Amino acid sequence: MSQRFIVTKEHRRFTEFADAVRRGHTIGLCFGSAGVGKTLSARRYAHYEKAHDLLTYWGPRSDNDAKIYAALNRSRTVLYTPSVLTTPRTLKDELTQAITRTNMCIEQHLVPPGTATPEAWGWRHGRNYVELIIVDEAERLRPAALELLRDRYDRDDIALILIGMPGLEKQFSHYPQFYSRVGFAHQYRPLGQDELLFVLERHWRSLGKTLDPDDFTDAQAIARITRGNFRLLERLFPQIQRVLKINELDTITNDVIEAAQSTLVIGVT
């Protein structure tokens, strides 16, 4: 994602879903197969790539940070990924830290240092601006951690999205107090045929080549291998570029694609 982000139909659908959850102050579940782009869309929505270093390391400020403050003010979103062994206590502390730091950055955008009166600062200081928490890899949450998120949702009126694999909605249905608050469920699907062609055209151009829509044989081979899985597509093309370079070839053929495929571990489910 740091290299380029392709705005797909599924990303637009995710954005509409996240906006609806945020406006409705409710809980949403987003599920989909591994590699379809759920995490990429969540990071894009929360401006994670821009804000990660600042929020994580919390070092000295710079003039360029103003752009990050503005981005966080637009999203009003915190993205959190629990580790495999995250305890409820750790989740509470890390989430509180992320929300506090995000609020401070938004505050810096709304009231730059030296521009606020003492009265205005007193009114704004300590105010929560975060409207949405997105939790990725939500299958890792233990029942106590899930209850902690529900309690935070109830107390602070912050909307919540949990992202995970298919079956997430069934997993959380076993917790009626939490599940009764779920307002939206969104399935993140693989790329469709037309959209896959659009993404392939972008990749072809990145290699300095043009995809001929009238000769779709090679593109069909990629579609068969990846089955519309965005992550696998992103892994396959560097290998295609490598095969072209090693063999001093100019054309992406079915043989090139099969050679590139042979270097990958295909794990689409």
Side-chain angles (χ1 to χ4, degrees), residues 238-249 255-256 259-260:
Q239 297 303 323
I240 290 176
Q241 187 174 18
R242 173 177 168 271
V243 172
L244 289 173
K245 183 177 180 180
I246 291 175
N247 294 279
E248 299 181 349
L249 299 173
D255 290 338
V256 170

Side-chain angles (χ1 to χ4, degrees), residues 27-42:
I27 296 176
L29 303 180
C30 175
F31 54 92
S33 301
V36 292
K38 305 182 299 295
T39 299
L40 291 179
S41 285

Side-chain angles (χ1 to χ4, degrees), residues 130-148:
V130 174
E131 299 174 353
L132 175 64
I133 298 171
I134 300 178
V135 180
D136 198 10
E137 305 286 357
E139 298 94 343
R140 297 174 177 176
L141 297 175
R142 301 176 185 178
L146 200 62
E147 180 64 16
L148 187 150

Side-chain angles (χ1 to χ4, degrees), residues 80-101:
Y80 176 75
T81 304
S83 67
V84 176
L85 300 178
T86 294
T87 64
R89 168 72 66 164
T90 301
L91 183 145
K92 178 182 178 181
D93 292 344
E94 291 179 345
L95 201 54
T96 297
Q97 181 186 78
I99 292 173
T100 300
R101 291 180 175 181

